[in-house]
Amino acid sequence: MSETLIEGPLNAVHVELGAAFAPFGGWSMPVKYAGTVGEHTAVREAVGIFDVSHLGKATVAGPGAKDFVNRVLTADLGKIHPGKAQYTLCTNESGGVIDDLIVYYVSDDELFLVPNAANTAAVVAHLVARAPEGITVTDQHRDYAVLAVQGPKSAEVLQAVGLPTEMEYMAYEDASLNGTPVRVCRTGYTGEHGYELIPAWGDAETVFRALLPEITSRGGQPAGLGARDTLRTEMGYPLHGHELTVDITPVQARAGWAVGWKKPEFVGRDALLAEKEAGPARKLWGLRATGKGVLRADLTVLSADGVPIGTTTSGTFSPSLKTGIALALIDSAAGVEKGTPVSVDVRGRAIECEVVLPPFVEANTK
């Protein structure tokens, strides 16, 4: 029996725009429109718009909601204030990552969470199981849409429709577009200057249609999940299920910067502190192909002597670099460092690569 996929609020618009669809996290998602390379290039050089309404949404509310969430998730909410957002991790007791997500700090008594599509229910259940009396955790997955406007001309686009653009990175403002409420945050998943807009689910088409002509008039275009993946891989950004899983910890994935190590409490703290002190058995690196071939996930990484030393977690052709790139978990005992030559086994053929420390291209998020 085929999987019944959930359609987002803009499905009919994507059909109208000629999108090709693919399943992702249980949703039917536009993977490309005119073509992944062109969409990728538009975001790097001009501006693109992504419909990422499949992302989860949840609210944690009640007296002391901020302190409660801070005792569960990894990052330190004490370092930000209302009007800011924070990248954080939801870990289990052994330090494995249930999900990575964005927390919007609304007030001490209200936080808005944006987890990944397939993990929303797990994150909500994780919080519900630990919530004290008076704290409510509400799954709002299909109450809101999420549109990402990304690229060097993204601010011009938002200014043209009267939305705010001058907030700091990872700050947000609640605004309106022609009377339609929209939360605007200086976040993104591409490595470019950009914004993520959160309107009500039923207002998504109104907001999208207001933005699209401003985007196309500036040399931009709608972009699908194909370009989103090539863009994030060039930046070395993790994708849950690949670089972060319940079996891959933040220490292994170089995501320790999203952990409040000095916090007295969060789920998985003891396990992660112990791993950090001992040093992880494996660590995430980037691979840049020096030979011909496209790298993919779940391929064996070999040392110069042909000994298996790791596994790729993501891989793609980089439109910016015009070569294959990958992220890979490599055994710490292999002693690799930047510039170390390795190879990747692609169906019995070794593709020569060099080890790099991501990002593969320079970020322009500020």
Side-chain angles (χ1 to χ4, degrees):
M1 183 179 295
S2 61
E3 180 184 12
T4 300
L5 299 173
I6 303 168
E7 293 183 354
L10 294 171
N11 189 74
V13 177
H14 299 315
V15 171
E16 176 187 318
L17 293 172
F21 290 83
F24 185 82
W27 292 67
S28 177
M29 296 296 298
V31 67
K32 65 178 179 179
Y33 301 84
T36 294
V37 172
E39 293 161 23
H40 176 111
T41 302
V43 173
R44 288 276 183 252
E45 297 181 357
V47 62
I49 183 169
F50 301 83
D51 173 17
V52 286
S53 299
H54 65 301
L55 292 173
K57 306 97 192 169
T59 297
V60 182
K66 186 266 286 189
D67 291 337
F68 160 63
V69 171
N70 207 30
R71 293 194 300 271
V72 177
L73 304 183
T74 62
D76 188 357
L77 281 166
K79 292 185 175 181
I80 64 170
H81 52 77
K84 294 281 283 188
Q86 184 180 68
Y87 177 82
T88 189
L89 305 167
C90 179
T91 48
N92 59 24
E93 295 290 354
S94 62
V97 182
I98 297 168
D99 199 20
D100 60 333
L101 62 153
I102 300 290
V103 175
Y104 288 74
Y105 189 168
V106 180
S107 72
D108 288 353
D109 299 332
E110 181 182 347
L111 295 106
F112 184 74
L113 315 182
V114 181
N116 285 292
N119 301 329
T120 301
V123 170
V124 169
H126 186 81
L127 290 164
V128 167
R130 292 164 174 78
E133 185 175 353
I135 298 291
T136 58
V137 184
T138 306
D139 188 336
Q140 296 185 294
H141 206 148
R142 283 190 263 184
D143 291 347
Y144 297 96
V146 184
L147 304 176
V149 180
Q150 301 282 298
K153 296 183 180 179
S154 57
E156 292 180 28
V157 170
L158 265 62
Q159 290 163 5
V161 297
L163 290 175
T165 61
E166 295 304 313
M167 65 281 285
E168 297 176 349
Y169 186 59
M170 296 299 285
Y172 73 90
E173 292 184 22
D174 289 328
S176 67
L177 194 163
N178 298 326
T180 300
V182 183
R183 178 164 286 171
V184 181
C185 192
R186 273 279 291 110
T187 52
Y189 195 48
T190 65
E192 295 297 329
H193 186 99
Y195 304 82
E196 291 181 314
L197 314 183
I198 305 178
W201 186 272
D203 292 333
E205 183 171 344
T206 297
V207 175
F208 187 91
R209 290 194 184 279
L211 292 166
L212 188 58
E214 300 297 342
I215 287 167
T216 56
S217 69
R218 290 168 172 81
Q221 55 185 288
L225 287 190
R228 187 170 164 86
D229 191 58
T230 56
L231 289 158
R232 71 94 190 170
T233 304
E234 287 186 348
M235 299 312 305
Y237 291 161
L239 175 63
H240 194 273
H242 292 254
E243 289 71 44
L244 296 168
T245 72
V246 291
D247 297 316
I248 302 173
T249 69
V251 179
Q252 297 165 24
R254 296 185 187 273
W257 59 271
V259 177
W261 296 108
K262 295 182 180 180
K263 288 201 305 182
E265 182 182 358
F266 64 85
V267 177
R269 179 179 183 270
D270 291 347
L272 289 174
L273 280 171
E275 183 181 34
K276 182 186 179 188
E277 183 176 347
R282 56 184 182 170
K283 202 151 194 177
L284 194 71
W285 287 92
L287 304 178
R288 178 172 176 166
T290 54
K292 292 184 178 180
V294 178
L295 306 176
R296 300 297 183 197
D298 302 318
L299 301 175
T300 300
V301 182
L302 306 170
S303 69
D305 297 328
V307 177
I309 58 172
T311 305
T312 58
T313 54
S314 293
T316 190
F317 175 80
S318 165
S320 300
L321 301 175
K322 306 294 191 293
T323 191
I325 60 172
L327 298 171
L329 282 168
I330 297 180
D331 297 339
S332 298
V336 303
E337 55 188 24
K338 288 196 299 183
T340 298
V342 297
S343 63
V344 174
D345 184 351
V346 181
R347 296 187 296 278
R349 184 172 73 89
I351 296 179
E352 301 301 320
C353 300
E354 66 173 351
V355 173
V356 302
L357 187 62
F360 295 91
V361 300
E362 187 176 350
N364 182 34
T365 56
K366 297 302 183 183

